[in-house]
Amino acid sequence: MAVRTKKEKLELIAQRIRPFQDFPSKGILFRDICPILKDPEALTAVTDLFEEHVRQTYPAVELVVGLDARGFLFGPLLAQRLGVGFALVRKKGKLPGPTSSVAYSLEYGKAEVEIQEDGVLPGQKVVLIDDLLATGGTLYATCELMKRQKADVLGCLVVIELLDLKGAERIGSTPTFSLVQY
Ligand SMILES: O=P(O)(O)OC[C@H]1O[C@H](OP(=O)(O)OP(=O)(O)O)[C@H](O)[C@@H]1O
Ligand SMILES: Nc1ncnc2[nH]cnc12
């Protein structure tokens, strides 16, 4: 594989994001990350840039927490690179055993995020990861879930940030790192 600069990696990732107008409902411009997954160089570039950011900014990280469903595509790759574990935050009703959940609203609907009670430990230093930040509802609800579990959220990582929707403001004091902004 070619050795790429940071700028080249960001350009490659941006080229592999595909827009679909009016999906899943009228008025939504859906940003599809599937072409990134089909291109090993682009997927490696995403993992490289997240790894570099986390190593520089949060060297004490102990766990990567991925958001259902597309956070599961990037999170385990990053966790392996960092040599830490990966935990899942799922949409409600998918996890066995004792769980904790928080409801939230989306750019196009409503949902509830849930984690197993032993998914994160009190005091554990975590980073949250997802494919995209829109209104910030999903990451905000997940931050609330982490607070309830007494985990320490160091920051949030997303491939794409939709700036107009001001999701980073909704998440508040928890810093957000994005690779591609629209
Ligand atoms: O910032 P927000 O307004 O909360 O929106 C972002 C969330 O929306 C999308 O997931 P979606 O809820 O569509 O679920 P999916 O990953 O299961 O398709 C996306 O993958 C994020 O998780
Ligand atoms: N515009 C969008 N594209 C892809 N995923 C999304 N999740 C919320 N808004 C989205």
Side-chain angles (χ1 to χ4, degrees):
M1 264 190 225
V3 178
R4 292 176 192 274
T5 64
K6 185 169 177 174
K7 184 165 173 278
E8 287 168 342
K9 287 177 186 175
L10 287 169
E11 282 167 2
L12 176 63
I13 295 162
Q15 282 165 15
R16 297 288 180 270
I17 296 167
R18 193 167 45 166
F20 282 97
Q21 187 61 57
D22 298 328
F23 180 86
S25 52
K26 202 159 175 53
I28 301 291
L29 179 59
F30 191 87
R31 305 283 180 179
D32 179 28
I33 49 88
C34 291
I36 296 178
L37 304 171
K38 287 185 74 179
D39 178 352
E41 290 200 45
L43 187 55
T44 300
V46 169
T47 316
D48 286 350
L49 295 173
F50 281 154
E51 180 188 6
E52 184 184 304
H53 178 75
V54 174
R55 286 195 185 279
Q56 285 173 1
T57 320
Y58 313 118
V61 64
E62 295 172 305
L63 186 75
V64 174
V65 175
L67 275 59
D68 193 347
R70 286 166 264 158
F72 300 166
L73 304 170
F74 303 103
L77 294 174
L78 176 63
Q80 288 249 303
R81 287 273 193 96
L82 296 169
V84 302
F86 176 77
L88 298 85
V89 165
R90 296 220 58 183
K91 301 272 164 58
K92 196 169 170 59
K94 301 286 185 181
L95 291 169
T99 59
S100 175
S101 66
V102 171
Y104 66 103
S105 57
L106 271 168
E107 195 186 2
Y108 43 73
K110 277 189 190 306
E112 201 162 341
V113 284
E114 186 166 61
I115 192 165
Q116 287 172 319
E117 278 181 3
D118 61 0
V120 292
L121 305 175
Q124 204 162 26
K125 295 185 189 332
V126 308
V127 292
L128 309 184
I129 187 165
D130 204 354
D131 67 322
L132 182 141
L133 173 64
T135 64
T138 312
L139 274 168
Y140 177 77
T142 306
C143 286
E144 290 299 302
L145 199 53
M146 293 296 114
K147 234 187 258 174
R148 207 184 276 179
Q149 300 308 110
K150 300 188 167 48
D152 181 6
V153 180
L154 303 176
C156 303
L157 312 171
V158 290
V159 179
I160 303 167
E161 180 174 2
L162 305 183
L163 295 171
D164 286 356
L165 295 173
K166 299 192 187 324
E169 281 177 29
R170 178 137 175 220
I171 300 166
S173 57
T174 307
T176 305
F177 175 73
S178 58
L179 299 178
V180 178
Q181 299 80 26
Y182 296 102

